[in-house]
Amino acid sequence: MSFDSAFGYNFDDLRALAKRRLPHGLFEFVDRGTEDDLTIRNNFDAFRRIQLFPRPLVDVSKRSLTMSLFGKEYPMPVCLAPTGAAGLLWHEGEVAAAAAAAAFGIPYSMSTGSITSIEKVAEKAGGELWFQLYLWPDPAMSLELVRRARDAGYKALIVTIDTTVTPNREFNYRNGFTVPMKLTRRNVADAMRRPRWAFGVMGRYLMSGGMPRFHNLPSALQRKMTDTRKAGLMPKNDSLTWDDLKRLRDMWDGPLIVKGILHPDDACAAVQAGADGIVVSNHGGRVLDNAPASIEMLPDVRQAVGSRTVVLLDSGIRRGSDVVKAIALGADAVMVGRMAMWGTAVGGQRGVAHALTLLRDEIDRVMAFTGCTSMADLNRACCARLP
């Protein structure tokens, strides 16, 4: 994929372009975390505290970014994280993001909260597809989605466990951006101030089938985004235990990945429950405010599980140097959320490809400066200061 300067030169450029294109409420839904955004700041600050040693006069002419996950090799240590609002940022944004990931040969993670269906993304984008699942109060609902993902050819199942109750995202209420969505003069005016988005995204949905709906929820919960007749569109389950994860393990034959782990003891419990991989993640700062940064907890989690399982790092990735730091401190790969979302918002598939190009080129450049030629060369000794 070629570099396209129209989409900017880094994460902040993509974010600024997305802010100009999206309605304010939708932009903040993606950009913000929860309450005071302390966890988002923790993620940013923790990455910046870690420094990398430059190692000159090392032959780095034959660098490789390849890595292996679950026995399969990928050309760069990056996966696209599950992000539920992609289809609101761009018409069928999930297809656009998945197609970009497929072109790069990396996994795309489909969210339960997506607009476009599991089946349509598999048909129109292809590539290496993973499906993200919440554990529902009724196990039959989880089984329904597991079967759909398996039948559509998804290779890995990601179960997100860190959203025990509904997060306190006060800014969504302030902006009138809630699910289900109640149309008000304020949020309608907000949308119309962004006519390119209003006609190019929402207008296309309305012309092709009506108000968007969450096609990947269990059938009993599916309805239009603006249908307020029933509460609990995405019901939480605050009675879950590790036994529920074990039951999910019995439903799924492929790699099972548990997302939303920060404590080493929880990482060990996930492995004991049958997880093949874990994602060290604070949900991008979107659940518990003032949680520790994912990168700070990564070394302890890796030490706790050893080489028994795949370890991915999520939350706070903005630069290729962040990816290098994560690999050096024990991750096998990273998951990228907001950067891919901003790419989706500003250019669909081309925008996501641009974001991945930025990361790939930065990873390659930083590896050269640190005297490393492969992912295996990256370790704690590369870091001048640890979290």
Side-chain angles (χ1 to χ4, degrees), residues 190-211:
D190 183 20
M192 296 312 295
R193 281 191 289 267
R194 296 292 187 267
R196 184 182 174 192
W197 176 87
F199 294 102
V201 180
M202 191 58 68
R204 289 183 66 184
Y205 283 124
L206 293 174
M207 291 175 62
S208 61
M211 184 64 67

Side-chain angles (χ1 to χ4, degrees), residues 72-317:
K72 183 173 180 179
E73 194 169 89
Y74 300 94
M76 60 188 290
V78 174
C79 313
L80 292 193
T83 48
L88 293 178
L89 305 182
W90 190 268
H91 183 256
E92 294 189 348
E94 298 90 355
V95 174
F104 275 77
I106 64 173
Y108 170 76
S109 307
M110 184 78 175
S111 169
T112 294
S114 296
I115 302 299
T116 313
S117 73
I118 296 170
E119 295 80 7
K120 180 177 285 189
V121 170
E123 177 187 352
K124 298 182 70 172
E128 177 80 3
L129 298 174
W130 297 355
F131 181 67
Q132 176 268 330
L133 176 75
Y134 289 102
L135 288 171
W136 303 96
D138 181 354
M141 293 183 176
S142 298
L143 180 59
E144 175 189 338
L145 297 185
V146 166
R147 287 173 172 166
R148 282 182 60 190
R150 182 173 55 232
D151 292 345
Y154 285 66
K155 302 301 183 184
L157 185 68
I158 305 169
V159 55
T160 299
I161 64 170
D162 60 4
T163 313
T164 307
V165 294
T166 301
N168 185 28
R169 298 173 187 163
E170 300 157 340
F171 50 90
N172 286 341
Y173 299 109
R174 196 171 293 118
N175 293 328
F177 194 89
T178 57
V179 178
M181 182 178 291
K182 182 179 180 181
L183 297 180
T184 66
R185 292 175 62 182
R186 180 174 182 176
N187 57 32
V188 170
D190 183 20
M192 296 312 295
R193 281 191 289 267
R194 296 292 187 267
R196 184 182 174 192
W197 176 87
F199 294 102
V201 180
M202 191 58 68
R204 289 183 66 184
Y205 283 124
L206 293 174
M207 291 175 62
S208 61
M211 184 64 67
R213 61 190 304 136
F214 296 101
H215 287 283
N216 300 318
L217 295 179
S219 56
L221 299 177
Q222 286 189 21
R223 62 183 184 271
K224 295 179 180 179
M225 290 180 58
T226 52
D227 187 347
T228 59
R229 290 174 297 173
K230 299 178 183 178
L233 179 63
M234 295 188 184
K236 306 301 180 184
N237 190 348
D238 57 6
S239 64
L240 290 172
T241 69
W242 294 109
D243 289 336
D244 294 282
L245 185 63
K246 292 176 183 178
R247 283 189 282 272
L248 185 64
R249 170 75 279 179
D250 294 336
M251 298 179 191
W252 182 258
D253 296 329
L256 178 65
I257 305 167
V258 178
K259 181 176 182 289
I261 285 178
L262 290 174
H263 198 288
D265 290 350
D266 293 334
C268 293
V271 173
Q272 291 168 4
D276 302 295
I278 58 174
V279 184
V280 183
S281 169
N282 55 37
H283 213 114
R286 295 173 63 80
V287 285
L288 173 64
D289 206 17
N290 207 21
S294 298
I295 190 67
E296 288 184 325
M297 301 310 302
L298 174 61
D300 290 342
V301 170
R302 171 53 84 185
Q303 183 177 12
V305 301
S307 60
R308 290 179 293 168
T309 187
V310 168
V311 175
L312 306 174
L313 186 283
D314 169 271
S315 304
I317 300 293

Side-chain angles (χ1 to χ4, degrees), residues 1-10 13 353-354 357-358 360-361:
M1 294 290 177
S2 60
F3 178 83
D4 189 340
S5 60
F7 297 135
Y9 296 90
N10 54 40
D13 287 348
H354 177 75
T357 298
L358 290 175
R360 182 194 61 196
D361 292 351

Side-chain angles (χ1 to χ4, degrees), residues 3-132:
F3 178 83
D4 189 340
S5 60
F7 297 135
Y9 296 90
N10 54 40
F11 175 97
D12 289 330
D13 287 348
L14 280 170
R15 178 182 178 274
L17 289 168
K19 186 175 184 179
R20 290 202 291 269
R21 187 178 188 276
L22 299 174
H24 177 74
L26 179 54
F27 174 79
E28 284 212 333
F29 176 81
V30 177
D31 190 56
R32 299 284 303 275
T34 187
E35 295 183 351
D36 300 316
D37 289 339
L38 298 177
T39 303
I40 287 181
R41 277 178 264 168
N42 289 346
N43 287 332
F44 180 85
D45 292 342
F47 270 111
R48 300 305 167 267
R49 284 194 296 267
I50 304 168
Q51 300 159 7
L52 295 167
F53 279 116
R55 300 299 302 272
L57 296 182
V58 177
D59 183 357
V60 292
S61 60
K62 297 180 180 179
R63 298 185 299 282
S64 172
L65 276 59
T66 60
M67 55 87 189
S68 178
L69 297 176
F70 308 113
K72 183 173 180 179
E73 194 169 89
Y74 300 94
M76 60 188 290
V78 174
C79 313
L80 292 193
T83 48
L88 293 178
L89 305 182
W90 190 268
H91 183 256
E92 294 189 348
E94 298 90 355
V95 174
F104 275 77
I106 64 173
Y108 170 76
S109 307
M110 184 78 175
S111 169
T112 294
S114 296
I115 302 299
T116 313
S117 73
I118 296 170
E119 295 80 7
K120 180 177 285 189
V121 170
E123 177 187 352
K124 298 182 70 172
E128 177 80 3
L129 298 174
W130 297 355
F131 181 67
Q132 176 268 330

